[in-house]
Structures are given as C-alpha cells and as structure tokens.
Amino acid sequence: MTTTETNALALLLQPLASIAGSNSLSNQTMLPTGWDLVTVFPAPGNSPKPFPVVQGFLAQGQAPGGDAMIAVLALGINWTNYQLNYSIGKKSVSTQVQLSQKTTMGGTLIPVQGTVDESTINSYLAKRADIWNALQQLSSLPLYICGMSLGAPIAQLAALDLRPGNTGPGGQDAPRIQPPGFYFSAGNFVNKSFADAYNNASTGIVNQFTFAVNKPGLIIDFFPTAPFDDEYAKPLGSPQSIPAKIPAFDEPWWERGNIFYQQSLGGSPDELPSQPGNISNPPAGYDQTLAYTLATLCNAAYQSAQHPSSVLQGIGNYTLVNTVNSNGSPFAFIFTNNFDAIVLAFRGSITCDEFDSFVASSYNAAVPFDTNASAHMRQGPYNLYYASSSGAPNTATFAQAIKTALTPLLTGGKKLYITGHCLGGAMANLAAADYVMTAGSGITPTAIYTFGATMLADLTFSDDINAVLAAKTYQVVRQKDKIANAVTLLGFFPLQNQLTLTGQMELEELTYHSLTGYITLLNPSSTVSGVTDGEQQSSLY
C-alpha cells in the first residue's frame, strides 16, 4: 500500500472511526455522505458493568479515487461508558494477562509471554461474537478496520482476530485477505513480546497503520504517548505522523478530537449552525468576564505542561510565577496579575495514562480533611492530590507543595481564584474544600470557577463542600458535555453551583468537553461562535 493510498484511506476512515465512539450510536446514526450502514452494535445503555462495553458498526461505501466499493468495521468505546466501567486505574504489569489465558484467537502468532491489558481484552471478547456475526453480511467486499482513541485498541485486537486462517467463536472463517487497519490516537495496551509478534513485517499483521498528530520534535496529541513501557505498554501497527501546527488553544481534548484529526489529515468537517454561548440566570457573584479569563488561564496551564518552551497565549496581564508538580509532573500553575489577583489553575489529564489513573478510576477514598467519616471522594483525584510532589518518598505531597507556594503570595489583601478544566476542575474543588475545611490553613479562596469539572464527591462530601463553598463556586458545564457528569450512576454528585453553558460552535468535537468550546462560548467579545480551519493554526512554532 503506497503512502498516497494510506493517507487517502486515513482521511476516508477517520470520521467513521470517531463516529464509532459517539454516545448516541444507533441504527439511526448518520454517516458521512456516500456511506451506508449495514449493521450496528451499540453499547446497551451506559450502566455500570464489569468493564467498558464495545460498540461499533459495519458500513459500506466507495473507496477513495474510484468506484470500487469497500466495507469498514468501525469499533469504539464511548467516553461516558468508559468512565462508568473502567475502575482499575493506572495500567501496569499487574493489570495484564497472557493473551493465551483469555482466548485462543491469537493462535501461535502471539507467543505465550505476550500479555495484554485485561480490561481491554475482556471488553473485546464480550463483543467478539457480534463482530463476527456482523461480518457474515459482508458478501465479497474488501474489509477495512478502524478505531479512534478508546476504540483504537479494540480495533487493533479485531485485526488480530480477523487475520486469514483464523476462525470465529461460531466457527466462522476469517476474510481471505488481512483487513488493513487504520487507528487514530491509539493508547498502548500490550507488552513488547505481543507487539513484536503483531508488528513483525514478515509474519505479523500486515497493513496496520497507527496515526498521531505530530512531527519530528513536536508532539501535539499527547494522548497516545503514555503509558509507554516494554513490560506492559508498547504500540501496535506502523506509526504514521500527521504533521500539523499547534491549534489556537493548546489543550488535549481538542487535539485528540475528531475535528482536529480530520482537519490535520486535510479534510473539511461539516459545519454546524453556530449559536452564541449563554448562561441563563447566573447566581449572584458570577462574572462572565472573569470566567472567560480563568478559562484562558486553564488553557495556559495545559500549554505550559505540553509545550513548556512556548510563549503562553492569551493570558493578558497575568504572569506564571510558579509550577507545582504531582509525582514529578506539573499539574498546578500559579499566576499573578499587575493588580490584586492570584490564580491557582489546575490542568486536566493529557495522556491516556493520566486519564486512566486520575479520571476513570472511580473507587472511593476517605477524605482526610473532612471530619465526617462517611464522606468519600473518587480515588483518582485522591491519588493525584496526595502523591509526592517530586515523586520521591518521604517528601512533601502535591497538596502540601501547593500550600507552600501559595502562602507567601497571599499578602496585602490579594484575592485568590481557583480554577481548572475537566480533572483540573475536580482538583480545584478539592483544593478549595481543603483550604476552607482545614482549620488554620490560612488560605481563603475568593471564588472557584471550573469548566467541565469531573465529579469528585459522594453525597456526604458534596453536601459538606456545598455547606462551606456554595456561595463562591461556579461550576460551568456545557449542555452536551459527555465527560463532566458521566459517573452519576456510581454515586457521585455535582457541586453547587452548576451553571449550564448553552451555545454551539461551527465545529464541535464529539465529546463537547474541550476547553476550546468553553473559551469560545464564554468570550464576552466574540461575535462568531466557531473555530474554523484557519483559526486552528497558531504562531507558537
């Protein structure tokens, strides 16, 4: 397969791969022009199960550059379902199993020592029969496989399963020709032994292409970069770079999203009718200009973490004066302005490893500073907040290091604003609660603004936080955000005050969670609620 053919197919298949991970996948799902659904296997509701539920569809349409018809198997896991059902936390050697212990689908190709993330293989095996049954409707069309983000590892397992000579769970024959695979923003989930066999040019799975938006010396989509470890996290497929410039807002949910990938591949996403952003009947004290300013500082936090040598964009008269690490990675950023404000901004997860470890890990942990013994919080934010700042044992925790950095700045009546997006919003709420509920902390927040904050607290802890902070918190959540309130069925609760941000950009990534969307719709001077292709290019590099 030539480079030209590969790139043309990537542009054709990437929109299908992203649709396979959408929350509303059904037999009414609209595909791009020229594509017809053959069959759909959606996730049966977003209720808690032992592991994330695979969904997807089989479609047929024209191959690029001609009249030939092809079939595409697009596989995904939607982000809401993943958060409800992935409770393991950080992937590691201990979360892996030998593939041969779970299934015979690897045959003799994958050696006995080849291991795979147990949650991922369990998810695939639960949908395996549906996938093989769907392919019986394929007739003689050539088959391609695709997946994006959470769905990419599932699609990579399907390519292994559907290799020529293998048989399905009902004795079905695999396609006679290896289905080429196209994967976008794919996390790593197998060990080196597994990856070496899968990627072997002479005996492995051929024509498998794994795309990421990057170029030499510049990573833009960090989601696939971690975990990366010989023992449990090696990439599958032939790596393919998608050169691009850093977008106007350097934040991960846009950079791993369907719109940015499609544009970077040379496509033109369909535009939606834009609608101005609005928050109806905001509570007393809410300030939209301040909300917009703090959202841009959240973006600066992401930018500083992802591209620390770049010039921070859109921060006005604010200056970054300190960065605080959790386990050696920068997560908290302290800004000051020329007047009377201190801003503590937390970033959210950037890599797949961080998303698993701190967002999708939904076990409970006791709250050290809440005297109510029945108060609990999510394990992921707990692990992040109370980790060693440096990563070394017997050193200050992230929580302690933030307090140490803040205290000398809070003089002369300066105001403290705490903010964050996604996981960063949860951390902002946690830190504010800590400062107010811990006697003698010496830190009093002026206001807390969060954007698409993930849920942090059970009912008891949320009640306790609301009792002391409700008058000064503003939890801004977009109407269609698929991430912020995903885990209500697990017994977690939103904090006051939940402010619904309406409006729509011309181009929307499928989760409606990107900070790009929040900034654009909160901008009080904006007249166009959209991010066009031309506006995606930044002058950072």
Side-chain angles (χ1 to χ4, degrees), residues 10 34 87 97 135 138 179 263 304 351 380 398 404 468 486 495 500 504 526:
S87 58
V97 293
L135 294 180
L138 182 59
Q263 289 179 328
S304 182
T351 67
F398 179 46
T404 299
V468 294
L495 301 180
T500 300
Q504 182 169 267
S526 175

Side-chain angles (χ1 to χ4, degrees), residues 52-111:
V53 180
V54 173
Q55 58 184 35
F57 57 86
L58 185 66
Q60 59 185 27
Q62 285 189 342
D67 296 328
M69 297 290 290
I70 62 173
V72 173
L73 173 65
L75 296 171
I77 296 174
N78 75 59
W79 293 91
T80 299
N81 189 286
Y82 192 85
Q83 290 180 85
L84 282 172
N85 299 309
Y86 184 84
S87 58
I88 296 170
K90 182 179 176 63
K91 290 183 174 70
S92 67
V93 173
S94 64
T95 68
Q96 293 209 322
V97 293
Q98 292 178 349
L99 180 69
S100 58
Q101 292 179 337
K102 302 294 294 188
T103 174
T104 60
M105 75 181 207
T108 58
L109 175 63
I110 305 300

Side-chain angles (χ1 to χ4, degrees), residues 253-278:
W253 284 93
W254 186 266
E255 292 161 338
R256 70 173 66 124
N258 58 305
I259 297 297
F260 185 60
Y261 262 77
Q262 191 174 353
Q263 289 179 328
S264 299
L265 286 163
S268 299
D270 293 336
E271 293 185 359
L272 302 169
S274 66
Q275 300 171 357
N278 183 56

Side-chain angles (χ1 to χ4, degrees), residues 283-284 436 448 462-475 495-498:
V436 173
I448 302 94
S462 64
D463 284 345
D464 291 346
I465 295 175
N466 292 334
V468 294
L469 283 174
K472 57 177 66 175
T473 64
Y474 308 99
Q475 313 285 318
L495 301 180
Q496 295 177 344
N497 295 289
Q498 288 274 304

Side-chain angles (χ1 to χ4, degrees), residues 1-11 182 207 209 211 240:
M1 191 175 291
T2 68
T3 300
T4 299
E5 291 172 330
T6 301
N7 291 341
L9 282 162
L11 178 57
F182 288 75
N207 289 328
F209 306 100
F211 291 81
Q240 309 288 313

Side-chain angles (χ1 to χ4, degrees), residues 174-480:
R176 291 182 294 106
I177 299 174
Q178 173 67 53
F182 288 75
Y183 316 111
F184 307 90
S185 194
N188 303 326
F189 67 105
V190 302
N191 72 347
K192 186 176 186 300
S193 179
F194 190 119
D196 286 348
Y198 188 105
N199 296 334
N200 190 308
S202 59
T203 61
I205 311 301
V206 298
N207 289 328
Q208 305 299 303
F209 306 100
T210 304
F211 291 81
V213 181
N214 57 40
K215 59 184 178 181
L218 178 61
I219 296 171
I220 299 180
D221 177 15
F222 283 81
F223 190 72
T225 63
F228 189 93
D229 188 282
D230 284 351
E231 292 189 71
Y232 70 95
K234 297 293 283 186
L236 295 180
S238 172
Q240 309 288 313
S241 292
I242 308 174
K245 293 183 179 180
I246 296 175
F249 301 116
D250 184 11
E251 55 94 3
W253 284 93
W254 186 266
E255 292 161 338
R256 70 173 66 124
N258 58 305
I259 297 297
F260 185 60
Y261 262 77
Q262 191 174 353
Q263 289 179 328
S264 299
L265 286 163
S268 299
D270 293 336
E271 293 185 359
L272 302 169
S274 66
Q275 300 171 357
N278 183 56
I279 292 176
S280 300
N281 301 315
Y286 173 77
D287 184 326
Q288 183 178 348
T289 301
L290 177 59
Y292 170 72
T293 299
L294 295 177
T296 63
L297 293 177
C298 289
N299 179 74
Y302 278 126
Q303 183 188 335
S304 182
Q306 294 191 137
H307 300 107
S309 61
S310 62
V311 177
L312 295 181
Q313 301 291 296
I315 64 172
N317 59 7
Y318 281 85
T319 302
L320 177 63
V321 296
N322 210 335
T323 300
V324 185
N325 292 348
S326 175
N327 203 28
S329 297
F331 269 93
F333 303 80
I334 301 174
F335 300 87
T336 63
N337 67 4
N338 299 328
F339 305 104
D340 62 349
I342 307 294
V343 175
L344 171 62
F346 291 88
R347 72 167 175 89
S349 65
I350 292 173
T351 67
C352 177
D353 188 55
E354 290 178 352
F355 184 78
D356 284 343
S357 299
F358 306 126
V359 179
S361 179
S362 292
Y363 287 122
N364 286 347
V367 185
F369 56 79
D370 194 329
T371 57
N372 191 332
S374 62
H376 290 85
M377 60 182 288
R378 294 178 71 186
Q379 185 72 51
Y382 176 96
N383 290 346
L384 180 62
Y385 195 57
Y386 291 105
S388 162
S389 176
S390 66
N394 302 316
T395 56
T397 65
F398 179 46
Q400 292 167 337
I402 296 171
K403 292 177 182 178
T404 299
L406 274 180
T407 300
L409 299 174
L410 296 174
T411 58
K414 290 182 178 177
K415 299 173 182 177
L416 172 63
Y417 298 98
I418 306 179
T419 190
H421 167 256
C422 189
L423 166 68
M427 300 307 295
N429 289 326
L430 178 60
D434 182 9
Y435 303 153
V436 173
M437 297 172 70
T438 300
S441 73
I443 301 175
T444 303
T446 302
I448 302 94
Y449 281 75
T450 69
F451 310 97
T454 54
M455 288 185 168
L456 170 73
D458 68 1
L459 181 59
T460 301
F461 188 33
S462 64
D463 284 345
D464 291 346
I465 295 175
N466 292 334
V468 294
L469 283 174
K472 57 177 66 175
T473 64
Y474 308 99
Q475 313 285 318
V476 181
V477 180
R478 290 197 64 189
Q479 200 167 28
K480 296 182 180 180

